Amino acid sequence: MSAFDAWLERASAQAGDLFDRALDRQLRLAVTGLSQSGKTAFISALVNQLEHACSPDARLPLWKACDRGRLLGVRRVPQTNAHIPSFAYDAACDRLFGDPPAWPESTRGVSEIRLEIRYRPAGRWSRDIATLYLDIVDYPGEWLLDLPLLRLDYAAWSAQVAATLRRSPRMAELAATWTQWNPSTDDPFDERAVAGMSAAYTAWLRACREQLGLSLLQPGRFLLPGEFAGAPMLQFLPWVWGVPAGKGSPEGLYARLEHRYEQYLQHLVRGFYREHFAGFDRQIVLVDCLHALDGGPECFDDTSGALQQIIQSFSYGKTNLLQRLFRPRIDRILFVASKADHVLPEQHANLVSLLQRLVRGTAEVPRFEGVSSECMALASVAATEVARGRAQGELLRGLRGCALDGTALLIHPQDVPPVTPDAHWWEAQRDGFDRFRPQPMRRERPMPHIRMDAALEFLLGDKLI
Ligand SMILES: Nc1nc2c(ncn2[C@@H]2O[C@H](COP(=O)(O)OP(=O)(O)OP(=O)(O)O)[C@@H](O)[C@H]2O)c(=O)[nH]1
Ligand SMILES: [Mg+2]
């Protein structure tokens, strides 16, 4: 496609978007969450619930438009940005409904999906049929952590990494492979040495994720470079060897690393942000609180810190028609403790309370802008069922399902602490929360879920009146 054709396509897509926005019949939903928080499973489940919403098997009592019979149908339609791959809903379903069932694969690139929702507006005399277009983007969670870098220059980002190393001896220990380099600002820029050190830095990011369970790992594309693997702009690392007095010579190491950082932001992050992360109307933030608990205090704080950084990359506020057209902002945000099917229903209140603590700092920005927010515990696809049975000779009420390796399980999951755990809690020996694979499901029926209808009501309810 020539540059002109691409421009023409984008311009006509934008004109179409503007028209739908003027009529308030387009809604862009930001599905936000760290890597493995459940974004792809949520989007797949959302599409599945919407597509089955008018069938007799639908189980969405908390979604008023659906419960009151005003929903006429939902279908997938081509998204306006034809140059962006479509969300692989069918591939996700092939895995979820497969034999054995499996979760969708971890996301490796950006994709979009557009849903056309047809409904009858509320009101006794209304005979009209109205349409709402719902646009959703899926992307790898790692890339989300690049957005906060847009507010930091190279020196500020380097200082942030240096502070993290001072705070966390475990991270500092793993970082020895690259921190021991210890160059000077004016050292000559040696392409091979920088490539080697950048590889060591990337290996450190990976080790922090795999060994320490951390998420606040930047730059995100280092972990998942996509089509840019091997590009020089992905070869740099933070300057943690003291604060340089100046930038040194323009051809020196510091200045060249700084240039690479800026190129990374310019070519990868800014474009990605502009194309996919501007103009959202609603946001859902998925948080795997149980992973944060299993990972220990450092992982818990890391999750909280990562969410706080991410939220600052979005714009919030109440909007009127003009703003909605030209400067859309998020006016509702839903914080979700995902994978709630890993604990017993009576623990959901604790899970929500824990989520509130975890996102306390994060929720401040939207609240300050007067944006309505809510916290709930949800399972996009419920992989367990509450059951009674005997385990090791004991009669117990617990959760029945299959572990990720297929082993049948009946467990009584541990309780969820309602507040940020204290040192006592962290020190006690305990097993982690068991993880389950999806239960066998029939394609012609909607997927089992927990509170997807409440999420739909919060996110879309006021738009379907
Ligand atoms: N039991 C249960 N597990 C879930 C649910 N949603 C997600 N999971 C688990 O969480 C894992 C990650 O889910 P994804 O939807 O791939 O997460 P993601 O946020 O898209 O991850 P990235 O694409 O890597 O950023 C899945 O493989 C499942 O093991 C759920 O509703 N219930
Ligand atoms: Mg994903």
Side-chain angles (χ1 to χ4, degrees):
M1 185 189 282
S2 75
F4 179 72
D5 288 343
W7 175 83
L8 204 62
E9 186 187 283
R10 208 160 300 178
S12 70
Q14 278 168 2
D17 275 0
L18 215 59
F19 185 67
D20 288 331
R21 289 196 155 270
L23 299 175
D24 195 16
R25 57 178 208 182
Q26 185 199 9
L27 193 132
R28 275 175 64 77
L29 173 65
V31 179
T32 317
L34 300 172
S35 169
Q36 293 295 289
S37 57
K39 298 180 294 298
T40 305
F42 174 80
I43 299 170
S44 310
L46 185 85
V47 177
N48 181 267
Q49 295 303 335
L50 289 175
E51 286 194 339
H52 285 89
C54 294
S55 87
D57 296 320
R59 207 169 49 78
L60 301 166
L62 300 178
W63 188 22
K64 288 187 194 136
C66 177
D67 193 51
R68 297 183 184 164
R70 290 196 291 105
L71 198 71
L72 301 174
V74 180
R75 60 177 182 158
R76 282 173 273 163
V77 291
Q79 71 258 24
T80 38
N81 292 318
H83 60 289
I84 297 171
S86 301
F87 177 72
Y89 175 67
D90 293 322
C93 285
D94 287 346
R95 288 178 66 87
L96 286 161
F97 293 105
D99 181 18
W103 294 105
E105 296 206 45
S106 181
T107 310
R108 309 198 68 77
V110 177
S111 63
E112 280 194 7
I113 188 160
R114 164 167 269 216
L115 297 161
E116 182 182 5
I117 304 175
R118 305 204 96 197
Y119 63 99
R120 218 178 273 289
R124 207 174 333 159
W125 309 112
S126 181
R127 288 172 192 281
D128 297 345
I129 293 176
T131 305
L132 179 75
Y133 291 101
L134 177 63
D135 289 307
I136 307 176
V137 187
D138 192 25
Y139 53 88
E142 289 87 348
W143 294 2
L144 199 60
L145 281 158
D146 277 343
L147 302 186
L149 294 181
L150 287 172
R151 290 190 321 270
L152 302 176
D153 63 11
Y154 181 62
W157 174 56
S158 297
Q160 192 173 285
V161 178
T164 306
L165 293 177
R166 279 196 299 278
R167 236 186 0 252
S168 166
R170 294 203 301 166
M171 289 176 89
E173 196 183 315
L174 291 171
T177 48
W178 60 274
T179 49
Q180 44 132 14
W181 190 24
N182 207 8
S184 309
T185 38
D186 275 341
D187 280 356
F189 182 83
D190 176 348
E191 191 78 53
R192 280 177 56 144
V194 169
M197 281 302 139
S198 163
Y201 178 80
T202 308
W204 171 71
L205 292 178
R206 203 156 279 133
C208 288
R209 178 168 68 181
E210 279 151 24
Q211 294 176 33
L212 310 180
L214 303 180
S215 304
L216 187 40
L217 305 169
Q218 294 159 317
R221 293 243 181 196
F222 278 31
L223 287 167
L224 202 66
E227 74 215 83
F228 296 101
M233 70 184 152
L234 265 77
Q235 288 171 356
F236 61 89
L237 67 167
W239 192 273
V240 294
W241 303 282
V243 183
K247 292 184 182 177
S249 103
E251 288 310 307
L253 185 61
Y254 184 91
R256 294 285 298 274
L257 288 177
E258 181 181 49
H259 181 62
R260 286 233 166 135
Y261 175 81
E262 280 159 5
Q263 290 221 310
Y264 178 85
L265 294 192
Q266 176 66 26
H267 295 292
L268 288 181
V269 189
R270 213 156 273 139
F272 176 68
Y273 180 80
R274 216 176 293 129
E275 182 145 42
H276 305 289
F277 279 84
F280 285 119
D281 307 285
R282 299 279 152 94
Q283 183 173 32
I284 177 165
V285 182
L286 296 155
V287 187
D288 187 345
C289 297
L290 304 179
H291 166 79
L293 282 178
D294 281 346
E298 196 170 351
C299 175
F300 195 86
D301 290 346
D302 167 88
T303 304
S304 178
L307 289 170
Q308 210 161 332
Q309 280 205 17
I310 289 166
I311 288 296
Q312 285 165 5
S313 306
F314 292 86
S315 32
Y316 299 94
K318 295 270 172 220
T319 49
N320 55 33
L321 174 64
L322 268 186
Q323 284 166 330
R324 212 162 41 237
L325 277 178
F326 300 108
R327 208 164 70 85
R329 288 187 295 182
I330 292 164
D331 63 1
R332 270 185 190 208
I333 179 167
L334 178 62
F335 293 98
V336 157
S338 58
K339 316 180 192 178
D341 55 324
H342 283 137
V343 296
L344 283 164
E346 53 269 33
Q347 291 295 316
H348 289 175
N350 279 10
L351 197 54
V352 172
S353 162
L354 184 71
L355 173 71
Q356 283 164 340
R357 309 295 161 122
L358 198 66
V359 303
R360 186 180 274 167
T362 309
E364 263 167 28
V365 184
R367 196 177 310 121
F368 184 76
E369 299 295 344
V371 164
S372 31
S373 69
E374 203 170 302
C375 284
M376 65 176 72
L378 167 157
S380 309
V381 184
T384 62
E385 280 170 356
V386 177
R388 278 177 196 283
R390 267 184 197 286
Q392 285 142 18
E394 240 184 283
L395 186 67
L396 86 155
R397 177 173 179 277
L399 295 177
R400 196 194 301 280
C402 275
L404 293 176
D405 65 4
T407 317
L409 290 181
L410 172 64
I411 52 145
H412 184 87
Q414 57 178 295
D415 291 352
V416 179
V419 291
T420 310
D422 56 15
H424 223 67
W425 194 91
W426 291 121
E427 276 156 23
Q429 282 291 322
R430 62 171 58 77
D431 300 328
F433 291 92
D434 285 286
R435 303 283 153 164
F436 293 85
R437 76 178 189 197
Q439 48 186 307
M441 300 178 288
R442 295 202 349 241
R443 261 185 201 263
E444 58 282 9
R445 294 177 63 102
M447 298 171 187
H449 68 89
I450 300 174
R451 267 182 230 102
M452 282 295 282
D453 47 349
L456 280 163
E457 178 61 26
F458 182 79
L459 295 168
L460 307 183
D462 65 320
K463 294 284 175 185
L464 302 182
I465 50 174

